[in-house]
Amino acid sequence: MERITDYFGCLVFNDTVMKARLSPEVYGSLKKTIEEGSALDNNVASAVAEAMKDWATEHGATHFTHWFQPLTGITAEKHDSFVSSDKEGKVILEFSGKELIKGEPDASSFPSGGLRATFEARGYTAWDPTSYAFIKGKTLCIPTAFCSYGGEALDKKTPLLRSMEAISKQALRIVRLFGNTDAKHVDTCVGAEQEYFLIDKEMYDKRKDLVFTGRTLFGAKPPKGQELDDHYFGAIKPRVAEFMEDLDKELWKVGILAKTEHNEAAPAQHELAPIYTTTNTATDHNQLTMELMQKVAARHGLVCNLHEKPFAGVNGSGKHNNWSLRTDNGVNLLKPGDTPYENAQFLLFLCAVIKAVDEYADLLRISSATAGNDHRLGANEAPPAIVSMFLGSELTAVLNAIENDTPYSKTERMEMLFGVDSLPKFLRDTTDRNRTSPFAFTGNKFEFRMLGAPSSIADTNVMLNAAVSDVLCGFADRLENCADFDTELHELLKETIKEHKRILFDGNGYDGAWVQEAEKRGLPNFRTTPDCMTHLLDEKNAEMFARTGVFSLAELRSRCDIMLDNYIKTVSIEAATMLDMSRRQIMPAVSAYSAELTARYDKKSGVGKIPFKYEMKTARRLSELLDVMADKTDELDTVFTQLKDIEDVTEHSCAIRDRLIPVMEALRAAADEAETLTAEDCWPFPTYEKLLFSVNL
Ligand code: ADP
Ligand code: MG
């Protein structure tokens, strides 16, 4: 049998391959660039390119591509073959240092949010040596950043790298204050848990809504959903297990440390989590994971659906961003240790995160805002749309003691009692978990849970890194120049806790009372994408991004425009799909069925015959529903057409939220009721029952 260790990372131009294939000088120089960010020498680039090409072609690659992450949120690639000809016209394989370092895709069709007019199509991709190149199919993929001719970031990677540099710089200043003189940089590390649905492809293809929009726009609730909690962590069924096995192998080959897999709460829903790594690589890996999930699913006659809320009435799919800070010599700065009360450095970092999340809660919300996620956040499953932080009982007690200058008594870890002698004894964690908090401390990292399944994790980490780095900068300024370090530190912690404790909440985030409590505390509650998106440009945010060097104002504006434009397009496609399904599938089917009932009724309930109550009642209700559907369909069409001409994206997105979506909901309600009254074999496409329960048999 093949062993994992034999093929793990076999398609990655990783450190082992580099060491083996590059001269010690070239290897050393490249390592310096990767680890310390020093500028890359042209000769080094040429030598690396040559080695990469040899390695890639030996592994069957014929092409190379600069793999980048434009603002569409997915990855992009343009393939060039290695083929070239020598002076005699003979074919040779070539890949130069220049081609490795720089690319110039004519990328005028990518959204730039006004950063670039289409006639100024010039955009550059630049090699990111901190993320390993890899082979996908027959193509060598080189992770790159993507910028405009004027140097504005047109992608998700550039700001991410900027934010990583910003936080590294400030975190270093802090650890120096605590006597750490050898750390050279501080990395943010991320582990992204990915949720998804698996649906039978044949059924999926029969649903225009799934095909065009990724979510069901119609569909009555089946008799059984997730009430019994029998799917969560349930035994994995054979067809799904085969998919997971195949997927793991593909992921391992490209060096992704796929680790945990289980069934999720909703039927047909699953989760995959890799082992965490530095943010940049984690982001690339997550993009690649989503791509491979879909590719592998297709091989198994399945569709891997990554929409935030594909089905009403059962959980949607999110992505958890587990985040921590680590020095290059391996110290996790968010690890409290056994005695957090005495761990001043940890407490300082903790307070920095608290302050950052409180001051920039809007940015975290924005980083998870999409039309799809609007259906998820605040529904009874994902975290609410209000950002708050969970710390757990032990840390809360520590912070209370600091804030009030009261003595702190350590929580002793209790032995876990199962009440069965033969079971192993171990010490219980000092605090329980909280599953409803959007931003939870989970032992040595923070877990941000608002992200929707399909989103790139880049945006969230950009916001988080930038905000925390800005706060750390303020802390360092204050502590570096104070007269008495210990006193100043204590004051700083105390002040921060007092000022920002409103963001801390350990209770049930799904509880309605929390919404009111949060409002009293002055915490923002942005329910929808149009509600929050323009706050990206708020003065405090624009200033913070300028201070940290992560986004220019023009870059922020472009992102705001693109996200709103994306919202408008997403909902518009949904509306158009509903019109189509309603007019060409649902209404004709319901009309035919109700006509059939009426015909039966007429035939059998003539004079002297028994009245057919069922036919009469059902046909009547279906006719009423048909009238509602017809009216709502026409109204949807009218509003849709009216809104089309609004030019301003903010105005347009608000109008969609206020005028279009309510009509879509009313149309769906009527159609869903009609579904429950129509004979199964007369319904024009597979129902929830089939979609959700067929794969897991
Ligand atoms: P749960 O579902 O309980 O949150 P999982 O094991 O599914 O836990 O996922 C936890 C994720 O957090 C994994 O991707 C793991 O690698 C990651 N993780 C663990 N420690 C850290 C850390 N220090 N920094 C960032 N991520 C971490
Ligand atoms: Mg988790």
Side-chain angles (χ1 to χ4, degrees):
M1 235 190 29
E2 236 178 342
R3 282 185 311 187
I4 301 173
T5 43
D6 292 340
Y7 62 84
F8 184 88
C10 65
L11 297 177
V12 187
F13 193 74
N14 57 22
D15 196 60
T16 319
V17 183
M18 288 186 212
K19 212 182 235 161
R21 291 186 174 245
L22 300 172
S23 71
E25 299 75 45
V26 171
Y27 174 78
S29 171
L30 181 61
K31 260 318 241 198
K32 238 173 121 77
T33 304
I34 294 172
E35 280 171 9
E36 294 162 38
S38 52
L40 196 80
D41 189 82
N42 272 343
N43 294 331
V44 173
S46 298
V48 177
E50 189 68 23
M52 259 190 200
K53 179 205 68 190
D54 290 344
W55 169 82
T57 49
E58 278 165 35
H59 284 78
T62 52
H63 288 68
F64 68 91
T65 183
H66 276 199
W67 189 70
F68 59 106
Q69 300 173 24
L71 296 170
T72 49
I74 50 175
T75 58
E77 45 197 77
K78 177 184 138 204
H79 298 190
D80 280 300
S81 73
F82 291 117
V83 169
S84 188
S85 64
D86 66 6
K87 284 189 201 98
E88 284 103 50
K90 247 183 39 213
V91 148
I92 52 166
L93 298 182
E94 220 174 35
F95 183 46
S96 69
K98 250 215 254 119
E99 285 171 307
L100 166 63
I101 293 181
K102 194 187 93 177
E104 197 193 326
D106 172 16
S108 49
S109 291
F110 290 113
S112 75
L115 281 179
R116 215 168 34 133
T118 28
F119 56 87
E120 296 163 335
R122 222 173 255 266
Y124 295 107
T125 50
W127 178 33
D128 166 22
T130 61
S131 181
Y132 295 138
F134 58 92
I135 296 171
K136 192 162 58 105
K138 295 212 170 297
T139 305
L140 168 68
C141 297
I142 299 147
T144 54
F146 179 43
C147 281
S148 74
Y149 185 69
E152 285 110 350
L154 293 172
D155 69 345
K156 305 218 172 218
K157 185 185 271 268
T158 308
L160 182 65
L161 293 174
R162 289 179 189 158
S163 77
M164 289 170 69
E165 272 187 26
I167 198 167
S168 175
K169 191 166 144 206
Q170 302 306 332
L172 266 187
R173 287 174 69 193
I174 302 286
V175 297
R176 294 275 186 268
L177 289 167
F178 288 91
N180 181 334
T181 49
D182 28 282
K184 289 201 196 67
H185 54 98
V186 173
D187 292 321
T188 49
C189 296
V190 167
E193 298 162 58
Q194 178 73 49
E195 291 178 344
Y196 60 95
F197 278 86
L198 286 179
I199 321 275
D200 183 84
K201 179 149 174 33
E202 224 174 280
M203 303 216 183
Y204 199 94
D205 286 344
K206 290 189 181 134
R207 299 268 323 203
K208 293 192 195 200
D209 46 4
L210 284 175
V211 171
F212 292 136
T213 75
R215 79 179 179 101
T216 52
L217 301 167
F218 296 99
K221 217 177 151 311
K224 176 176 185 281
Q226 61 189 52
E227 301 84 351
L228 292 176
D229 285 328
D230 50 355
H231 190 253
Y232 190 53
F233 283 14
I236 299 172
K237 299 291 191 302
R239 195 167 170 201
V240 176
E242 276 164 28
F243 159 81
M244 286 181 175
E245 214 173 281
D246 199 1
L247 175 64
D248 274 341
K249 200 164 169 191
E250 293 295 328
L251 293 172
W252 290 334
K253 279 200 249 171
V254 289
I256 297 174
L257 289 154
K259 174 91 178 159
T260 312
E261 264 139 322
H262 59 79
N263 287 352
E264 258 302 328
Q269 192 184 31
H270 310 277
E271 180 186 297
L272 177 133
I275 295 175
Y276 68 96
T277 171
T278 59
T279 315
N280 186 27
T281 303
T283 306
D284 287 357
H285 280 181
N286 182 251
Q287 294 296 129
L288 197 52
T289 301
M290 291 193 286
E291 189 182 323
L292 288 172
M293 278 177 162
Q294 302 187 47
K295 218 179 247 171
V296 172
R299 292 209 287 252
H300 294 257
L302 297 166
V303 173
C304 172
N305 179 294
L306 291 165
H307 194 279
E308 298 91 338
K309 189 77 180 175
F311 302 99
V314 294
N315 279 7
S317 297
K319 177 140 61 193
H320 293 176
N321 190 80
N322 294 274
W323 178 93
S324 68
L325 280 165
R326 183 180 67 184
T327 65
D328 59 330
N329 35 23
V331 180
N332 179 354
L333 299 170
L334 292 179
K335 195 168 173 186
D338 285 339
T339 52
Y341 188 67
E342 291 155 18
N343 188 345
Q345 181 179 288
F346 162 74
L347 289 171
L348 190 62
F349 278 104
L350 177 69
C351 283
V353 180
I354 294 174
K355 184 174 156 88
V357 173
D358 185 31
E359 285 181 349
Y360 300 102
D362 49 354
L363 291 180
L364 288 173
R365 171 67 184 92
I366 287 167
S367 79
S368 64
T370 59
N373 223 16
D374 285 358
H375 297 285
R376 187 177 156 260
L377 297 180
N380 208 30
E381 34 134 346
I386 307 161
V387 175
S388 67
M389 261 172 111
F390 168 88
L391 293 185
S393 49
E394 188 180 23
L395 286 185
T396 305
V398 169
L399 296 191
N400 276 338
I402 297 173
E403 185 195 352
N404 303 312
D405 279 323
T406 48
Y408 170 74
S409 55
K410 186 171 162 5
T411 331
E412 287 305 328
R413 289 180 73 186
M414 311 251 289
E415 196 162 278
M416 190 69 213
L417 295 177
F418 283 98
V420 180
D421 285 342
S422 58
L423 290 177
K425 310 256 176 309
F426 55 86
L427 293 178
R428 199 170 73 172
D429 288 302
T430 45
T431 192
D432 199 2
R433 283 165 171 253
N434 176 313
R435 293 233 156 248
T436 66
S437 176
F439 202 97
F441 185 72
T442 45
N444 60 2
K445 61 181 167 27
F446 280 100
E447 181 172 351
F448 179 61
R449 303 184 175 132
M450 272 186 165
L451 270 180
S455 289
S456 159
I457 57 171
D459 294 336
T460 283
N461 289 295
V462 168
M463 306 300 187
L464 201 51
N465 293 346
V468 175
S469 88
D470 194 51
V471 171
L472 288 175
C473 176
F475 283 8
D477 286 347
R478 189 164 153 185
L479 292 171
E480 278 168 356
N481 302 309
C482 66
D484 176 0
F485 182 75
D486 286 353
T487 316
E488 192 70 22
L489 176 65
H490 187 76
E491 275 313 302
L492 177 60
L493 293 177
K494 221 167 120 170
E495 261 175 53
T496 311
I497 298 164
K498 261 203 174 71
E499 220 174 296
H500 298 289
K501 67 177 176 192
R502 65 172 188 161
I503 195 76
L504 304 178
F505 175 64
D506 279 8
N508 180 3
Y510 298 170
D511 193 347
W514 166 235
V515 177
Q516 284 153 28
E517 164 70 17
E519 196 180 335
K520 256 197 252 149
R521 294 189 191 187
L523 300 178
N525 180 6
F526 298 119
R527 259 182 239 116
T528 68
T529 303
D531 291 342
C532 67
M533 200 44 77
T534 48
H535 290 284
L536 186 59
L537 303 170
D538 285 357
E539 209 173 304
K540 73 162 175 89
N541 295 334
E543 282 173 0
M544 183 276 283
F545 283 123
R547 275 197 303 275
T548 50
V550 170
F551 281 127
S552 68
L553 191 59
E555 287 171 337
L556 279 183
R557 278 211 191 99
S558 78
R559 274 147 186 87
C560 179
D561 274 10
I562 288 170
M563 294 309 290
L564 287 174
D565 186 54
N566 186 276
Y567 174 87
I568 294 164
K569 287 179 178 148
T570 305
V571 186
S572 297
I573 294 170
E574 290 180 350
T577 308
M578 280 190 109
L579 285 175
D580 183 281
M581 290 173 80
S582 168
R583 284 185 173 145
R584 299 176 57 214
Q585 296 185 304
I586 302 176
M587 291 199 290
V590 175
S591 166
Y593 182 60
S594 106
E596 192 189 313
L597 288 176
T598 313
R600 253 190 265 165
Y601 172 75
D602 286 347
K603 204 158 111 201
K604 297 191 175 172
S605 63
V607 189
K609 292 182 185 161
I610 328 144
F612 272 65
K613 243 184 172 173
Y614 156 71
E615 279 87 349
M616 187 178 70
K617 258 176 82 180
T618 312
R620 189 176 293 154
R621 182 67 191 141
L622 283 176
S623 309
E624 283 165 10
L625 289 168
L626 259 177
D627 286 347
V628 177
M629 277 190 268
D631 287 348
K632 290 295 161 192
T633 304
D634 288 346
E635 192 184 338
L636 184 61
D637 203 352
T638 312
V639 178
F640 185 54
T641 314
Q642 280 170 1
L643 301 190
K644 259 186 188 155
D645 297 330
I646 307 178
E647 267 180 33
D648 179 71
V649 280
T650 311
E651 202 188 311
H652 194 174
S653 60
C654 290
I656 284 197
R657 175 196 61 197
D658 300 334
R659 295 181 50 202
L660 197 68
I661 291 181
V663 188
M664 289 164 69
E665 282 167 358
L667 172 57
R668 176 176 186 157
D672 288 0
E673 191 188 332
E675 186 194 317
T676 62
L677 297 174
T678 305
E680 211 171 316
D681 55 355
C682 295
W683 200 248
F685 39 74
T687 59
Y688 269 33
E689 186 184 311
K690 298 245 166 54
L691 295 166
L692 286 170
F693 292 95
S694 60
V695 172
N696 257 301
L697 293 176

